[in-house]
Amino acid sequence: MAGCIQDVDPSELSKAEVYPLIWDSPASLEWASDLFTPLTEFFQGAASAGHAMLIWID
């Protein structure tokens, strides 16, 4: 698993009903990890350029 996800318990994600509701699958954290790499790079690039990020979770 990639290094960006540590100390994450998939059962806690399921219990909290974190979307998407796939956390009962053994490969779910690996799948999520693959998505966090480009997202992390995007945020790091914005921060390096001095840009703010606005996130709206509805």
Side-chain angles (χ1 to χ4, degrees), residues 7-18 23:
D7 302 321
V8 176
D9 183 345
S11 66
E12 290 178 6
L13 297 174
S14 291
K15 183 177 178 183
E17 297 181 354
V18 173
W23 308 114

Side-chain angles (χ1 to χ4, degrees), residues 1-2 4-5 8 13 18-20 22-23 25-40:
M1 183 178 338
C4 67
I5 296 180
V8 176
L13 297 174
V18 173
Y19 179 84
I22 60 162
W23 308 114
S25 167
S28 61
L29 288 180
E30 185 69 33
W31 174 83
S33 176
D34 290 343
L35 298 174
F36 282 120
T37 299
L39 183 62
T40 302

Side-chain angles (χ1 to χ4, degrees), residues 36-53:
F36 282 120
T37 299
L39 183 62
T40 302
E41 292 170 357
F42 178 75
F43 277 92
Q44 287 175 337
S48 295
H51 296 291
M53 300 298 294

